[in-house]
Amino acid sequence: MILPEGNMERFLKEKASRRAFLRRGCLFLTSFGIYPGFFDSLTKKAWAKRGALSLREAMFYKRLANNIVQCGVCFRGCILKEGERSFCRNKENIDGRLYSLVYGRPSAVHVDPIEKEPSLHMLPGTKILCFGTAGCNFRCKFCHNWHLSQRSIEEMEYTYDILPEDAVKIALKKKIPTLSFTYNEPTSFYEYVYDIARLAKKKGLRILWHSNGGMNPEPLKELLKYTDAVTIDLKGFTNKFYQDTSSAKLEPVLRTLKIIREEGRWLEIVNLHIPT
Ligand code: SF4
């Protein structure tokens, strides 16, 4: 895909509105008595048809007995039977293999100042091209991006078709020096982040991502090979806080902070102030 001349926002919206039209059409049919699961099954069939075009086989997963799979990207280690969806809502066991459902399908694409990441010490004063999808591996009660993070791709109003090579082309064409993965949790769209990062580094672009820190060491180290800087949320200081507020754990976050430092990547830590 070559980005057409003119306004990127308008271009993205045009693509999204075609999908919104189809969605509205499906909802219209349900109002005529077609059963409520119709849209879901239609969507799944559409994905199945897209096959290799958009489904990306997951990285870092194990195939277990009886077509069961286990994801290894984050501390949760989701174990999924055939047809089951992951905790982050972004992966599914299809015929005994694990696939990312949001690969090349971001729901948020924006140009932001790098300070908004927040990242205050790498190329200050420059812009970042940011990508986010549906889904998250945490359940933070205070999430201000819940409309992305706490939804599946079927529930998104907008999704855009932007493959990794297109993401890099946009950044180069717009002369934006850094690509960023943010808004929702990059761990939950790891394969998309990884493929963009590898391509972007070959073109001399920088890679930044903002994470909750729940990634496992092996995928983390692999992604850090193509990463310049990371912003990690340290949301609290006790395991109880992480369990009660985010349905998560403190220990993987602390481990992630150490690994990023050990690997020599630029690290900024965000500590949230949560109004109660
Ligand atoms: S990244 Fe998603 S699928 Fe993988 S273990 Fe974490 S929550 Fe489960």
Side-chain angles (χ1 to χ4, degrees):
M1 181 195 77
I2 307 280
L3 189 70
E5 286 301 324
N7 182 303
M8 180 168 71
E9 292 291 319
R10 193 187 69 224
F11 168 67
L12 293 171
K13 271 186 189 137
E14 276 168 9
K15 286 185 79 89
S17 64
R18 282 198 289 276
R19 198 170 292 118
F21 172 78
L22 285 172
R23 173 180 284 255
R24 271 191 223 110
C26 291
L27 291 173
F28 178 72
L29 286 174
T30 60
S31 71
F32 280 85
I34 295 174
Y35 70 94
F38 175 79
F39 183 66
D40 271 349
S41 61
L42 186 74
T43 311
K44 279 185 184 138
K45 273 184 201 146
W47 278 339
K49 252 198 214 166
R50 289 166 63 96
L53 187 65
S54 69
L55 289 177
R56 157 72 148 99
E57 190 164 4
M59 299 170 71
F60 299 102
Y61 83 94
K62 279 190 217 153
R63 298 179 75 186
L64 308 176
N66 303 319
N67 271 1
I68 294 170
V69 296
Q70 179 168 27
C71 179
V73 170
C74 91
F75 71 97
R76 290 197 186 278
C78 292
I79 295 177
L80 305 170
K81 291 183 196 153
E82 234 181 290
E84 282 185 342
R85 185 73 63 96
S86 61
F87 184 90
C88 63
R89 303 183 176 97
N90 281 351
K91 283 184 178 157
E92 192 166 301
N93 178 342
I94 301 173
D95 297 333
R97 291 182 182 269
L98 188 63
Y99 289 92
S100 168
L101 305 175
V102 293
Y103 188 84
R105 303 286 301 279
S107 290
V109 184
H110 294 287
V111 178
D112 284 341
I114 195 165
E115 289 78 7
K116 190 174 163 222
E117 183 77 350
S119 179
L120 303 178
H121 302 280
M122 184 177 81
L123 301 180
T126 60
K127 302 277 188 213
I128 50 177
L129 177 59
C130 305
F131 294 87
T133 67
C136 186
N137 59 341
F138 277 29
R139 292 288 182 269
C140 302
K141 291 174 181 165
F142 49 81
C143 183
H144 66 284
N145 282 337
W146 58 269
H147 57 290
L148 292 167
S149 71
Q150 302 308 315
R151 284 180 170 164
S152 64
I153 190 166
E154 297 95 326
E155 295 168 317
M156 297 311 303
E157 194 176 344
Y158 292 100
T159 59
Y160 307 110
D161 291 320
I162 302 180
L163 289 172
E165 53 270 33
D166 302 324
V168 171
K169 275 182 199 164
I170 294 170
L172 291 172
K173 186 177 170 75
K174 296 279 172 190
K175 298 191 175 16
I176 300 168
T178 306
L179 288 109
S180 161
F181 305 95
T182 185
Y183 305 130
N184 70 317
E185 174 53 44
T187 304
S188 73
F189 57 105
Y190 182 91
E191 293 75 12
Y192 189 43
V193 176
Y194 182 78
D195 286 354
I196 292 177
R198 283 187 59 180
L199 285 177
K201 292 310 294 171
K202 283 186 194 156
K203 297 288 181 186
L205 297 167
R206 294 201 186 192
I207 293 295
L208 167 67
W209 39 278
H210 185 165
S211 169
N212 58 30
M215 210 179 280
N216 277 338
E218 201 188 345
L220 173 61
K221 286 180 187 170
E222 183 59 32
L223 182 57
L224 286 174
K225 289 179 189 168
Y226 307 100
T227 296
D228 295 282
V230 187
T231 301
I232 296 287
D233 289 339
L234 183 57
K235 298 172 194 282
F237 296 91
T238 64
N239 209 35
K240 185 171 181 343
F241 175 86
Y242 267 85
Q243 275 170 357
D244 293 351
T245 315
S246 302
S247 302
K249 292 180 183 170
L250 173 63
E251 188 275 326
V253 183
L254 299 180
R255 182 182 64 200
T256 291
L257 293 171
K258 276 182 73 179
I259 291 173
I260 295 169
R261 285 292 285 161
E262 283 164 8
E263 297 292 311
R265 295 298 177 273
W266 186 256
L267 170 65
E268 298 196 25
I269 299 174
V270 174
N271 179 235
L272 309 175
H273 287 225
I274 305 163
T276 53

